[in-house]
Amino acid sequence: MTQDDHLWNPAAAPDAEVEALERALSPLRFASRARPLTLPAPSRVRVRPIVLALAASLLVAVLGGAGFWRWRESWPAGRAWPVTLQTAERTRLALDRPLQLDAHTSAEVEIARIGAMEVAPGSALALSQTSAARHRVVLDRGDVRVRVWAPPGRFAIRTPAGEVIDLGCIFDLRVEASGETALHVVTGWVQLANVHGESLLPAGTKATMTRDARPAVPVYDDAAPEFVRAVRAFEGTVDEAARLGLAGEIARHARRRDVITLLVLAHQAPLSSKRPLLEAAAALRPPPSGIQVDQVLADGSRLWDWYNALDLPPVKSWWRNWRDAFSHARR
């Protein structure tokens, strides 16, 4: 018998050394009957009823919001828009059936489910296209105030001078008998566009558009009259000496807030007229670090780095321009 036999066969006589080791370790022996091993019961997390209620309410709100958004965006193709005349009479703006108001009657037109349009007396307009993703109106003459809560480009108005494209905002629009279009943006952004070019207007600015020239650059409502006159004269002249003189006048009357006008005007101006406009802008609101006027003159793309650093309304997150979207839900 070897020393290890007792380890594998308890009936074998233990070796003296093994027996001594067993006696030394015996106090540590586990007595299963005397001290049975018990495992703790799984812990149960108690969730308070108020937590469950809040979670359920949040889920309902998320699902309800998604459903409301889908409902608001949906619109059957070709379906007429509801119209309420000043006389309280209700009618419809149907495709290619013009709405022509007399000199004493105004109207409110529901733009599908995404907004509303107040139409002034004497205006003439027509609905040319309507669907879930695209709504288009033709305004031949008159005044409208538009409120739209929808992604950019869903709604636009065609005028004799070009297109007015809503980017999720409120704006006022006037079309004169001559076809000249005047735009004032209240919130958000609006784009003017025709075959000659385009102009992007943020809240608080205004511009005009005619059929024979590119849309005017934006100027703020409260800009100095001398500044506005010089800007419009600068846009309308092709004489280099005259432009340089007007650039000096623009610089004299510009404020920090008017830098957007200076940058857009410089972008459109011939190279010979860009520097005084950019230098005036840099004096009022220096470009971001690392951008110099000479760099902008050499590489026009740097101008947009400067432009994007201005304090302007958001374009991509257009819904941030609205504070009362849900109060204007339409049928």
Side-chain angles (χ1 to χ4, degrees), residues 103-331:
H104 307 288
T105 304
S106 61
E108 181 167 338
V109 179
E110 298 180 11
I111 304 172
R113 297 191 182 102
I114 63 170
M117 177 167 51
E118 299 172 14
V119 187
S123 301
L125 56 85
L127 178 61
S128 62
Q129 184 180 4
T130 183
S131 64
R134 187 177 174 88
H135 306 282
R136 295 295 184 266
V137 168
V138 177
L139 180 62
D140 291 324
R141 68 174 186 275
D143 296 74
V144 296
R145 164 164 280 209
V146 174
R147 304 172 57 91
V148 172
W149 198 80
R154 290 288 174 90
F155 176 80
I157 297 177
R158 189 170 76 246
T159 77
E163 268 203 305
V164 181
I165 304 168
D166 166 79
L167 303 180
C169 59
I170 303 174
F171 63 88
D172 298 317
L173 183 67
R174 167 176 290 183
V175 176
E176 303 288 355
S178 64
E180 180 177 341
T181 297
L183 171 69
H184 170 237
V185 183
V186 180
T187 68
W189 292 82
V190 178
Q191 185 179 44
L192 295 176
N194 61 17
V195 296
H196 304 286
E198 60 186 37
S199 183
L200 194 61
L201 279 69
T205 66
K206 57 187 178 182
T208 59
M209 177 171 59
T210 60
R211 70 185 77 199
D212 56 356
R214 72 179 302 152
V217 302
V219 294
Y220 277 103
D221 303 337
D222 57 355
E226 299 83 359
F227 175 82
V228 178
R229 284 195 295 269
V231 167
R232 298 305 180 216
F234 186 100
E235 292 178 293
T237 186
V238 295
D239 182 83
E240 183 176 347
R243 276 198 304 264
L244 290 174
L246 289 167
E249 186 175 352
I250 289 170
R252 283 195 298 273
H253 296 288
R255 310 159 302 167
R256 178 180 171 86
R257 193 182 189 200
D258 298 321
V259 166
I260 181 176
T261 303
L262 296 175
L263 293 180
V264 177
L265 198 59
H267 169 68
Q268 298 180 5
L271 182 61
S272 59
S273 305
K274 289 181 184 291
R275 181 177 290 278
L277 296 172
L278 293 174
E279 289 178 345
L284 293 167
R285 179 152 189 168
S289 177
I291 299 178
Q292 304 295 327
V293 168
D294 287 337
Q295 292 175 317
V296 176
L297 289 169
D299 179 3
S301 65
R302 302 306 301 272
L303 182 145
W304 299 114
D305 295 331
W306 190 352
Y307 179 95
N308 291 329
L310 302 178
D311 183 20
L312 298 171
V315 177
K316 292 183 178 180
S317 51
W318 53 270
W319 59 88
R320 290 166 52 195
N321 297 317
W322 277 79
R323 294 181 297 274
D324 58 351
F326 287 91
S327 64
H328 290 275
R330 299 286 167 179
R331 288 189 300 275

Side-chain angles (χ1 to χ4, degrees), residues 82-107:
V83 178
T84 303
L85 300 176
Q86 183 179 350
T87 59
E89 177 187 353
R90 294 188 64 82
T91 183
R92 295 271 171 175
L93 181 62
L95 285 173
D96 301 318
R97 296 185 62 182
L99 175 65
Q100 298 190 12
L101 300 177
D102 61 38
H104 307 288
T105 304
S106 61

Side-chain angles (χ1 to χ4, degrees), residues 39-50:
L39 297 176
S43 60
R44 299 182 62 184
V45 178
R46 297 185 60 187
V47 181
R48 296 183 179 182
I50 189 170

